[in-house]
Amino acid sequence: MGRTLKKELGQRGTGRKSRKQEEPQPIANDASERPLHRVKKSLGGKIRQRIAKRKSGLKEVLKKKKKTGVIGGSDGGESNEDDQDTISHEGVTAGDSNGGDDGQDKDDEDAKSTPAAIFSTEDAGLSTDSEMADEFPSSNDEDSDSDSVELAVEKKSKKLDKLKARDEKLAEDEMKETASAPETIYELPTAEQVAEASHDLQTVHQRIQEVIHVLANFTKLRQPGRQRKEYISVLQKDLMLYYGYCEFMVTKLLELFPLTELLEFLEASEVHRPVTIRTNTLKTRRRDLAQALIARGVNLDPIGKWSKVGLVVYDSQVPIGATPEYLGGHYILQGASSMLPVMAMAPQDGERVLDMSAAPGGKTTYLAALMKNTGVLVANDVNKDRLKAVVGNIHRLGVRNTIVCSYDGRKFPSVMTGFDRVLLDAPCSGTGVISKDPSVKTNKNEKDIQRCSHLQKELILAAIDCLDATSRTGGYLVYSTCSILVEENEWVVDYALKMRHVKVVPTGLEFGVEGFTKYREKRFHPSVSLTRRFYPHTNNMDGFFVAKLKKFSNKLPAGIAEEPPAANVNESVRQSGESSESEENME
Amino acid sequence: MRPLTEEEVKKVFEKLAKYIGENVKLLVDRPDGSYCFRLHKDRVYYVSEELMKKASNVQRKNLLSLGSCVGKFTKSGKFHLLITALDYLAPYAKYKMWLKPNAEQTFLYGNHVLKSGLSRVTENVPQYQGVVIYSMSDMPLGFGVAAKTTQECRHADPSTIVALRQADIGEYLRTEDTLT
C-alpha cells in the first residue's frame, strides 16, 4: 500500500471506504423492502438519471415493439406479474439483448420458442424484485447509445439461466423422441448359446432384467419368430444360475408368482429377516422388558400394530440369546410369522389345547401364555431330541399347564381326543424360509413335495379327529406351514374340507394375501380364500400360510371309511389324475 | 408315572424346607386347585390334579414331562433340586441374597458367590442354610447354600466364598439336555 500518512477515516477523500459506515438499519420482513446483496439504499446520480429516462421513454417503446410481436412471447409470463410495465419492459429489453445472442443459438431449431422460454425464466427470476427493478440498474437496458452497465454478477446469472433453460429444453425434446421412437429389440440368445456363454453374473443379471422386460410387453418387444417358451426357458436357466436354485424349484416359483414379484421374492430370500423376540406375558410386560433390554444396550422397537408382545431387535451389544432376562424366561426368540398361527388360534382360559408339532416350543409357550397357565396344554412332537428343547423352554418361561409327549401325530387320536383347540404347524418343505436354510433351493424335488403333502393330509385328518365339535368354546383347528407352495397349503385344506365336517373360518389376521381358490388346473372350495399367505418380500417375515378350520360335527361324512385308508386309493379317487399319475411314474 | 412313597415324600419336603421353611404346605394346599407330586423316570414333577389325570393317558415311554419338574432322585436315592424349581422357591423363600450387577455374570457361568459380589443378604442366615439368589432388579438367578452366616459375611475378606451355588438359570443354556 505504501507509506501514506494515516489520516483519519472520513478525511481521506473520495474512495470506497472514505465514507464512514452507517449504523446498521433494522431490516424489514417485507420482501419488497429487503435489499439485495450489495445493493445500496441510496443510488448514485448517474443511475437515477437513467431511471428517469427509462420511465419517460417507456410507453413509446412499448407501442413500437408490440407490432413486432416479440413481446407476445413474454405474454405468457405476464400472468405471473402484477406490474405490467415492468414485465413488458423486461420483455422488450430481453428481446433486444437476446437478439445479440441469437447468433449463437442458430443451431437450435427451436430458437423461436427459446426466447419465450427465456422470457419466462427471466421474468420468474426477477419477478420477486419487481419493485427493486425500478431502482436497480437492470441489465436489460435498451439504451443503445450508452453502454449497458450491468453488474457483472447479473450478466453472468442471466447467461447461466439461459444455458439452463436451453439444456432443459433439449432434455425434454430428447425424452419425447426416445419415448416415441421404437425401442431396439432385445435379441434373445438360444438356450445353447446361454449354456456356452461365459457365466458372468453381471451379464446374467442383465439378461434376466431384459427378458422380464420383454415378457411384460410381449407382443411389442418380442423378437419375431421366437416363441414365448424360449424366453421362459432362457429366464429359467439364468435364474438357476444367478440365485442357485434347482430346476424344479424355479419352475414351481415361476408358476406361483408373476415375474416382477418373482424377482422380489428371490431377492428377499437371499437376505435374513430381522431378529424378533416375543415377551413372555407370564413373567413380565413388554414395556418393562424393553426398558431392561435397552439398558443392556439392545436397540429394539415394537414389532408393529398387529402384536402386543413382539419386539424387533435391530442390533445389540450383548448376545440377545444369553441375557439374564432371556435366562429368566422374560422373552423367547421367535420369528414374526410364527406368532401368527397362535394369534389366529386365540385360546381361552381353561381350555384343552393340543399342539401337534410342538418342537422347539415357541408356539407352545405362546399358547400357554395366552391361556394364562390354566387349562391343559399338550405338546407333542414325533422327534424326541427336539422335544428336549420344548421341555427346556417350558421350564424357562414358567409354563405350568403342559404335558410333553412324543407320539406320531397321525396316531394321536388313539391316545387322546376331545380337545377344544388344536394347532398343527405341519412339517413342510420349507420354501418360505429359504433365507434361513438355503439348501432348500437345491434339495427339493417332485417326490419330496409329494411326500410332504401326503404327510400333511394325514396329519390334518388326525388333528381334526382329535377335536371335539361339541365343545362350548371351540372345535377350532389352526393349520399352518412355513411353505408357499399350493400343494402343501390350499390343497391340504381343501382335502380336509372334503374328508371331514369342517369349514374354513376367518383367521382374524388383518394383513397377508388371501389363499388361492384356483391354481393352474386345480379348483378349490371358495372358502379357502379365507386362509392367509405371507411372503418375505411383502411382509418382511418368513413365508407362511395360516388356515383356521372349525369342526361342526363329530360324525364322518358319508362314504368315508373309519380308518384312514391307503393314501394312494384316496388320492386317485378324490384328486385330479395328476398325483396318481406321478405316483405311478415313481413306481 | 406314580405317586411318591412315604420316604420319597420325606426327602423331597426336607429339601424344599431348606429353602422355603414351613411354606411347603402352601405348595400342596393351594386355593386354586390341588396339586401333587408325581414320580416319572426318577424325576419328581409338581402338577395339578387335572393335568395329572390327562397325563395318565400317555404311555410311560412317550411321556417326557408334565407340569414342572422340581428335582430328581439320584441312583443312590438322594434328592437334588433342579433349577426348574426356582419358580416355586422364589416367592416363598425365607433367606435371600442379592448380587451386584458385575457379579451376576460370573454366577450365571456357574461359579460360587464371593463376598465381593454380595450386595445384600437377609439377617440371621444360619450356616449351610438354603438361600435364593437374586439380582439387583429382584430377578431370581438361582439358589445355593450359605457358606457363612450373615455375621461372618460382614467381617469376611472379599475373596471368600459366601454362598455355594446349587443351581442357576445359566444352566438353561449350558446343560439343556439334562433337563429331561
Side-chain angles (χ1 to χ4, degrees), chain B residues 41-59:
Chain B
K41 287 189 183 170
D42 284 338
R43 282 172 186 258
V44 178
Y45 295 94
Y46 177 66
V47 293
S48 70
E49 298 256 321
E50 185 198 353
L51 202 66
M52 193 222 358
K53 280 192 211 130
K54 285 264 158 192
S56 54
N57 293 335
V58 181
Q59 288 184 354

Side-chain angles (χ1 to χ4, degrees), chain A residues 384 395 400 402 404-407, chain B residues 59 61-62 64-65 67 69:
Chain A
K384 263 204 180 126
H395 283 106
R400 302 181 188 181
T402 309
V404 182
C405 58
S406 163
Y407 281 102
Chain B
Q59 288 184 354
K61 65 177 165 63
N62 298 92
L64 260 85
S65 157
C69 175

Side-chain angles (χ1 to χ4, degrees), chain A residues 8-10 78 96 99 124 126 131 180 198 218 257 299 352 379 393 399 428 450 484 491-492 557 565:
Chain A
E8 266 192 69
L9 271 180
E78 256 185 281
D96 270 3
L126 295 171
E131 298 189 58
S180 54
S198 67
F218 196 59
F257 292 114
N299 198 356
R352 284 162 305 183
N393 278 327
V399 171
C428 64
Q450 275 189 341
I484 49 165
W491 201 9
V492 173

Side-chain angles (χ1 to χ4, degrees), chain B residues 107-128:
Chain B
F107 180 68
L108 294 181
Y109 277 120
N111 300 316
H112 298 299
V113 182
L114 304 179
K115 164 85 190 323
S116 54
L118 194 64
S119 133
R120 232 170 94 194
V121 60
T122 47
E123 284 293 325
N124 299 326
V125 179
Q127 205 177 25
Y128 305 129

